[in-house]
Amino acid sequence: MLLLVLDGVGGYRTTRRHSELAMAHTPNLDELAATSALGLHDPVGRGITPGSGAGHLGLFGYDPLRYRVGRGTFTAAGLGVELAEGDVVARANICTLTEDGVIADRRAGRMSTEEARTVCDLVNEQSFGDVDVELVVEMGHRALLRVRGRGLHPDVADTDPQRVDVPPIAPAPLTEAGVRTAETIRTVLERVRKVLAHRKTGNFLLLRGFDTRRELPDFPGRYRVRAAALATYPMYQGIARLLGFETRYVPDLAAAVRTLPELVRDGVDFVYVHVETPDLAGEDGDLEAKKAAIEAVDALVPAIRESGVEVLAVTGDHATPTQLSAHSWHPVPVLLNGGTAPADGIAEFNEVSCRQGSLGRFPAYELMPQILAAAGRLAKFDGQRHGM
Amino acid sequence: MLLLVLDGVGGYRTTRRHSELAMAHTPNLDELAATSALGLHDPVGRGITPGSGAGHLGLFGYDPLRYRVGRGTFTAAGLGVELAEGDVVARANICTLTEDGVIADRRAGRMSTEEARTVCDLVNEQSFGDVDVELVVEMGHRALLRVRGRGLHPDVADTDPQRVDVPPIAPAPLTEAGVRTAETIRTVLERVRKVLAHRKTGNFLLLRGFDTRRELPDFPGRYRVRAAALATYPMYQGIARLLGFETRYVPDLAAAVRTLPELVRDGVDFVYVHVETPDLAGEDGDLEAKKAAIEAVDALVPAIRESGVEVLAVTGDHATPTQLSAHSWHPVPVLLNGGTAPADGIAEFNEVSCRQGSLGRFPAYELMPQILAAAGRLAKFDGQRHGM
């Protein structure tokens, strides 16, 4: 089984234009669609715009409203940063503030990983009094902030307002339990601001997804599969690692596809491949880039089909429409091919064609049982109290 | 945001004919549909015929299976009748019994509010021993029965058989807790029968929706909106009032539409408009009248679109097919327009076209998150423990 996740691939049709999937030239995906079952999934729930972590939990069969894991925890897992009981972590964007303290660029011009490392080093050289603070570079402007100390609690609201021309939000508690920690984070950020003040770009941090150490039910045990994850971004390796996947870095989808036959030979039952590019283009609001990202995936579909994969699911973890330059609440096209999956005979893969598909519209956490079923991996249910 | 509820607008297609929505001439709704996301909702659940209260709770995002509120309580709220702890209320239809005690007309020829007031006065002049009884006129043959006394409990079954040519149902307890109250109601109704016996029409009461004082989570607080309700019937003002809407009487939809620009200017974020006419025609089994009611709404769609509303949802609280002359279990067409709602490009608004829409078929309580999402009112979900 292969679950190919095209990050942020979903879009939506407006009166002005079709979605990116509909506009991209995708002969191979369309041909695949013709022999697949199509549908639309809601990553978290209707109307809910998911973060990538929540979107992925859904795809892996974990209801994101039940399994609440913050972005910080996923990022830590991706970076291989071990969390101790009581550590508080957040995903940090290195951003650029103007002299007046308003956000000029939430991503500091998508700075290089190299430059981000300089920023992290500057922060890590400081002493923060009662707490230990570590800023670990992830990729580009993305980093992890880990705060270790006594009595910390992750109930702190994001400081990232998710837009520019406003100042960052002051750290605020989400509950009574987070009051002291919000105060601590405020002190930490004040110091960070001073330390980075001499820099024109990349001179502050926007924090989101505060969380602490979490344990999730093991994916291979739950579904009785040997599972491997191929991803470029640490965050996605992190999600997979938290769930007990064997994880492997690949530089891009082409490399992932080249790895597939080997995994199939090695007896891996379930492979998750993450492709980040459609989301990056979506967040930039770059229609041509998003189409190109989709078309690049399309070009690799024949190789995927020849890799020995038996059941193939292609979908996204959420929509990132270029109209909005952000994640959105729209449902995401999904295609299930092979095994006992029906062939709907609809030779197009996009938001409109998927409406007509036999899978209908369903919560993302119901995808896994359908992949497993198509692969003949689920026993007959006859009132058992101890099944999946 | 505007939620336009066409009461009972839903219908269904049979081998003989299309639904009322499909048969009505609705150029404006169809044009609106072309740039909207379409779907079907189940007000309470598949196969379940909702009362108006339950149907509305669903539309407002409250799962009617979780929030159980009887019609009596909604009616009391609509009439502004304050309920004390322990009061039992029921919605009362003033009906006509034959001399043999079978129901000749469940609505006493849809008597005037004036005449209903005479009936209420006759009842209210009486003494009912242990309990205080008040019959409050609502509109036409509709009234509220309030019983105040010691140890009363609302677990009493409806006495309205919902059809004619049978006698009213004797008050019966739904649980052990309702035994004594059912007995009390029986005594009250016997007295009412005597008091009204001289009348040819409008000589008895059919009771339904027994309930007591209830409190519901506040709508404006829950969705962080300033919310106003425009309704003609007290019942719908009552639902909205129970949920914390500012409520306003309007004589009809035209008046509601004239009020919209003012509400938008005043900073009201969410407006609920209730239109009763399709349900009245549906209950009468009057196909032409239901088509006309829908066409009258259609004529006002352009004015609604020009009122400054950003996101518009048009739907019903349940179906009232003229084939059945009653509420029914059929799913209800829904249209979501504006903001980030997709444009499905389907230029028809009815039960058949809505099957093809991108919203799919969903429980009514999932409409609110989609309206809010289309209006950009929901934050991104990233595993937060305290969001939304």
Side-chain angles (χ1 to χ4, degrees):
Chain A
M1 293 165 273
L2 171 62
L3 172 62
L4 177 59
V5 177
L6 311 181
D7 205 301
V9 77
Y12 70 113
R13 180 185 160 148
T14 65
T15 47
R16 281 160 194 259
R17 69 165 177 80
H18 286 270
S19 74
E20 301 86 3
L21 257 180
M23 293 170 79
H25 179 62
T26 54
N28 298 309
L29 279 168
D30 293 345
E31 191 191 326
L32 180 66
T35 59
S36 300
L38 304 184
L40 293 166
H41 73 76
D42 288 287
V44 176
R46 288 191 177 243
I48 300 179
T49 295
S52 294
H56 270 81
L57 281 183
L59 292 179
F60 291 136
Y62 300 79
D63 180 356
L65 293 176
R66 180 165 165 210
Y67 297 96
R68 304 279 180 112
V69 184
R71 182 78 182 222
T73 303
F74 285 128
T75 303
L79 292 168
V81 172
E82 287 285 334
L83 299 186
E85 200 65 37
D87 283 1
V88 162
V89 285
R91 164 70 183 279
N93 263 18
I94 301 173
C95 71
T96 298
L97 297 191
T98 65
E99 279 180 19
D100 302 336
V102 306
I103 303 165
D105 187 340
R106 286 182 55 244
R107 300 178 187 93
R110 289 201 183 277
M111 65 165 50
S112 69
T113 305
E114 200 68 14
E115 195 184 343
R117 214 176 300 279
T118 315
V119 172
C120 291
D121 288 348
L122 281 168
V123 170
N124 293 334
E125 281 162 10
Q126 306 302 313
S127 161
F128 289 86
D130 284 355
V131 290
D132 282 340
V133 171
E134 194 182 4
L135 190 62
V136 187
V137 69
E138 184 185 349
M139 189 175 285
H141 61 285
R142 302 168 185 208
L144 172 79
L145 180 75
R146 187 187 68 188
V147 183
R148 180 170 286 174
R150 290 189 137 210
L152 296 179
H153 195 282
D155 279 359
V156 177
D158 294 357
T159 71
D160 185 348
Q162 302 268 354
R163 56 200 180 99
V164 295
D165 298 333
V166 293
I169 302 164
L174 286 168
T175 66
E176 195 61 34
V179 170
R180 233 202 77 202
T181 308
E183 187 55 33
T184 302
I185 300 293
R186 201 181 55 74
T187 313
V188 167
L189 284 178
E190 275 169 11
R191 184 151 189 92
V192 167
R193 180 88 176 100
K194 277 187 199 134
V195 171
L196 302 179
H198 65 283
R199 296 175 55 90
K200 276 251 149 68
T201 64
N203 54 19
F204 198 54
L205 302 177
L206 299 175
L207 304 177
R208 54 195 172 105
F210 282 91
D211 205 356
T212 187
R213 180 178 171 159
R214 299 277 170 202
E215 273 161 39
L216 288 164
D218 179 65
F219 182 96
R222 191 178 200 191
Y223 300 120
R224 293 179 200 158
V225 292
R226 203 179 136 200
L230 304 176
T232 306
Y233 275 64
M235 159 81 181
Y236 304 96
Q237 293 178 53
I239 295 173
R241 199 172 290 147
L242 267 183
L243 295 174
F245 282 70
E246 304 164 29
T247 64
R248 230 186 255 205
Y249 167 80
V250 289
D252 54 29
L253 178 58
V257 173
R258 282 195 301 274
T259 310
L260 286 177
E262 180 195 325
L263 294 176
V264 172
R265 267 199 312 279
D266 285 2
V268 172
D269 306 295
F270 187 94
V271 183
Y272 150 62
V273 175
H274 178 262
V275 180
E276 176 71 0
T277 44
D279 185 57
L280 295 178
E283 293 218 334
D284 285 341
D286 188 336
L287 173 61
E288 288 310 313
K290 191 167 172 190
K291 279 164 58 184
I294 292 166
E295 286 165 2
V297 171
D298 185 77
L300 290 163
V301 166
I304 293 170
R305 299 184 76 175
E306 282 157 23
S307 65
V309 167
E310 187 190 324
V311 171
L312 167 61
V314 181
T315 189
D317 54 341
H318 55 76
T320 308
T322 47
Q323 297 102 317
L324 303 178
S325 302
H327 293 200
S328 80
W329 58 281
H330 300 91
V332 183
V334 52
L335 161 168
L336 181 62
N337 185 275
T340 59
D344 292 344
I346 302 169
E348 273 183 78
F349 182 58
N350 59 54
E351 289 73 6
V352 173
S353 68
C354 283
R355 287 199 320 239
Q356 315 300 329
S358 62
L359 300 180
R361 183 165 170 178
F362 61 92
Y365 64 78
E366 291 182 343
L367 177 60
M368 271 306 300
Q370 296 177 91
I371 295 175
L372 293 161
R377 291 298 195 113
L378 295 183
K380 182 153 76 175
F381 175 84
D382 220 346
Q384 299 91 338
R385 280 169 307 280
H386 307 278
M388 229 189 72
Chain B
M1 293 166 272
L2 170 62
L3 172 62
L4 177 60
V5 177
L6 311 181
D7 205 301
V9 77
Y12 69 113
R13 180 183 160 148
T14 65
T15 48
R16 281 159 193 260
R17 69 164 177 80
H18 285 272
S19 74
E20 300 86 0
L21 257 180
M23 295 170 78
H25 179 62
T26 54
N28 297 309
L29 280 168
D30 293 344
E31 190 190 325
L32 180 66
T35 60
S36 302
L38 305 184
L40 293 166
H41 74 77
D42 289 287
V44 177
R46 286 190 181 242
I48 300 179
T49 295
S52 294
H56 271 81
L57 280 183
L59 292 179
F60 291 136
Y62 301 79
D63 180 355
L65 294 175
R66 180 165 166 212
Y67 298 96
R68 305 281 181 109
V69 184
R71 181 78 182 222
T73 303
F74 285 128
T75 303
L79 292 168
V81 172
E82 288 284 334
L83 299 186
E85 200 66 37
D87 283 2
V88 163
V89 284
R91 165 69 183 280
N93 263 19
I94 302 172
C95 70
T96 299
L97 297 191
T98 64
E99 279 181 19
D100 303 336
V102 306
I103 302 165
D105 186 340
R106 286 182 55 245
R107 302 181 186 91
R110 290 202 180 276
M111 65 166 50
S112 69
T113 305
E114 198 68 14
E115 193 182 346
R117 213 178 299 278
T118 315
V119 172
C120 291
D121 288 347
L122 281 169
V123 170
N124 293 333
E125 281 161 11
Q126 306 303 311
S127 160
F128 289 85
D130 283 355
V131 290
D132 282 341
V133 171
E134 193 182 6
L135 190 62
V136 186
V137 70
E138 184 184 350
M139 189 175 285
H141 62 284
R142 301 167 187 209
L144 171 80
L145 180 74
R146 186 187 69 186
V147 183
R148 180 170 286 175
R150 288 187 139 210
L152 295 178
H153 194 282
D155 279 359
V156 177
D158 293 357
T159 70
D160 185 349
Q162 301 270 354
R163 57 200 178 99
V164 295
D165 298 333
V166 294
I169 303 165
L174 285 167
T175 66
E176 195 63 33
V179 171
R180 233 203 78 201
T181 308
E183 186 55 33
T184 302
I185 300 294
R186 201 181 54 74
T187 313
V188 167
L189 284 177
E190 276 170 7
R191 186 152 188 89
V192 167
R193 180 88 176 101
K194 276 188 198 134
V195 172
L196 303 178
H198 65 284
R199 294 175 56 90
K200 275 250 149 65
T201 64
N203 53 20
F204 198 53
L205 302 177
L206 298 175
L207 302 177
R208 53 195 173 104
F210 281 93
D211 204 355
T212 186
R213 180 179 171 157
R214 300 276 173 205
E215 272 161 39
L216 286 165
D218 179 64
F219 182 96
R222 191 177 198 189
Y223 300 120
R224 292 179 200 158
V225 292
R226 204 180 136 199
L230 304 176
T232 306
Y233 276 64
M235 159 80 181
Y236 304 96
Q237 293 179 53
I239 296 173
R241 200 172 290 148
L242 267 182
L243 295 174
F245 282 69
E246 303 164 30
T247 64
R248 230 187 255 205
Y249 167 80
V250 288
D252 53 30
L253 178 58
V257 173
R258 281 194 302 274
T259 310
L260 286 178
E262 180 194 325
L263 295 177
V264 171
R265 265 200 313 278
D266 284 2
V268 172
D269 307 294
F270 187 94
V271 183
Y272 150 63
V273 175
H274 179 263
V275 180
E276 175 71 1
T277 45
D279 184 58
L280 295 177
E283 293 216 335
D284 286 342
D286 188 336
L287 173 60
E288 288 311 314
K290 190 167 172 191
K291 280 163 59 184
I294 291 167
E295 287 165 2
V297 171
D298 184 78
L300 289 164
V301 166
I304 292 171
R305 298 183 75 175
E306 283 158 24
S307 66
V309 167
E310 187 192 323
V311 171
L312 167 62
V314 182
T315 189
D317 54 341
H318 55 76
T320 309
T322 45
Q323 298 100 319
L324 304 178
S325 302
H327 292 201
S328 79
W329 58 278
H330 300 91
V332 182
V334 53
L335 163 168
L336 181 62
N337 186 276
T340 62
D344 292 345
I346 302 168
E348 274 182 78
F349 182 58
N350 59 54
E351 291 73 6
V352 173
S353 69
C354 283
R355 287 201 316 242
Q356 315 299 328
S358 61
L359 299 179
R361 183 166 170 178
F362 60 92
Y365 63 78
E366 290 183 343
L367 177 60
M368 271 306 300
Q370 297 177 94
I371 294 174
L372 292 163
R377 291 299 196 112
L378 295 183
K380 182 154 77 172
F381 175 83
D382 217 346
Q384 296 90 341
R385 282 164 306 279
H386 306 273
M388 242 185 73

